């Protein structure tokens, strides 16, 4: 489940927090419960990043398609 906060996170914010989550998991020294919570947060952040990237890809594809239609009409 994605929280409202995740919906307002920008790509860079989500990416930076995800990097920190991964760093903490790789460093170890956390309890199993803490590790699971970090993993779950990382999954949420990865989804946020994926949504941003998919949106950017859709915008790029639309712009390229529009450009192609414009060039065909010349």
């Amino acid at each position: 489940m994605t929280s409202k906060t995740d919906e307002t996170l920008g790509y860079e914010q989500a990416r930076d927090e995800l990097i920190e989550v991964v760093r903490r998991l790789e460093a170890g020294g956390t309890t199993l419960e803490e590790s699971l919570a970090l993993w779950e947060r990382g999954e949420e952040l990865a989804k946020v990043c994926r949504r941003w990237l998919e949106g950017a890809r859709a915008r790029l594809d639309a712009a390229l398609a529009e450009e192609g239609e414009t060039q065909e009409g010349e």
Side-chain angles (χ1 to χ4, degrees):
M1 175 182 271
T2 304
S3 71
K4 276 241 187 256
T5 303
D6 290 344
E7 293 173 11
T8 61
L9 279 178
Y11 172 79
E12 289 81 5
Q13 294 167 309
R15 182 203 57 210
D16 290 347
E17 188 178 340
L18 180 57
I19 290 168
E20 179 60 21
V21 166
V22 170
R23 187 196 64 73
R24 289 181 60 196
L25 283 169
E26 288 178 340
T30 57
T31 66
L32 178 58
E33 191 170 308
E34 291 168 332
S35 293
L36 286 173
L38 285 169
W39 178 269
E40 290 169 348
R41 181 63 181 155
E43 288 290 325
E44 291 172 7
L45 292 165
K47 287 178 187 175
V48 171
C49 290
R50 194 172 313 121
R51 279 195 301 275
W52 273 105
L53 292 172
E54 288 169 355
R57 169 56 71 188
R59 289 175 61 191
L60 247 174
D61 289 345
L64 290 172
E66 187 176 302
E67 183 179 307
E69 290 172 7
T70 302
Q71 288 179 355
E72 288 175 7
E74 291 179 1

